[in-house]
Amino acid sequence: MPKTERAYTTKRSTPLAKLRVRHKKTRAQAADQLKVSVGYLGLLERGREKPSEDLLIEMEEVYGTTRTSVRRAAIATRRAFLIRETP
């Protein structure tokens, strides 16, 4: 299956990735609409990067949800990453 036709979800989705999946967007589609690279969106979805306020606003529009939902998903994703990385 070509990369552009991949499934929307993975086995271990983070809250931010689940938000994207819930709105039936592939990572490539969401990255294109958010005007960021697929790699950067992946870092955001894995909690390795923190989205800017402007990007949260863009996510709200692209995913058709509230900024509060996007912010909660981003915080939960980041928190999960920090907990995993703590020795």
Side-chain angles (χ1 to χ4, degrees):
M1 181 181 314
K3 278 188 173 182
T4 55
E5 296 179 22
R6 291 182 70 185
Y8 293 113
T9 188
T10 62
K11 289 181 183 177
R12 297 154 111 201
S13 293
T14 63
L16 201 52
K18 286 178 183 177
L19 185 63
R20 171 182 52 79
V21 170
R22 194 175 314 128
H23 291 88
K24 300 194 183 337
K25 300 215 182 275
T26 64
R27 192 178 284 170
Q29 291 168 332
D32 186 52
Q33 292 176 338
L34 293 168
K35 299 172 188 76
V36 298
S37 71
V38 174
Y40 183 66
L41 183 57
L43 291 174
L44 291 168
E45 289 185 351
R46 288 189 304 275
R48 294 184 177 268
E49 291 288 331
K50 182 179 173 187
S52 67
E53 189 65 30
D54 290 340
L55 189 54
L56 289 172
I57 293 167
E58 284 294 317
M59 287 178 166
E60 171 189 8
E61 294 172 11
V62 169
Y63 298 152
T65 190
T66 64
R67 195 167 322 149
T68 302
S69 295
V70 174
R71 186 178 319 255
R72 283 182 183 155
I75 289 169
T77 297
R78 183 80 175 138
R79 187 175 295 137
F81 169 73
L82 293 174
I83 289 170
R84 280 192 315 267
E85 294 298 309
T86 304

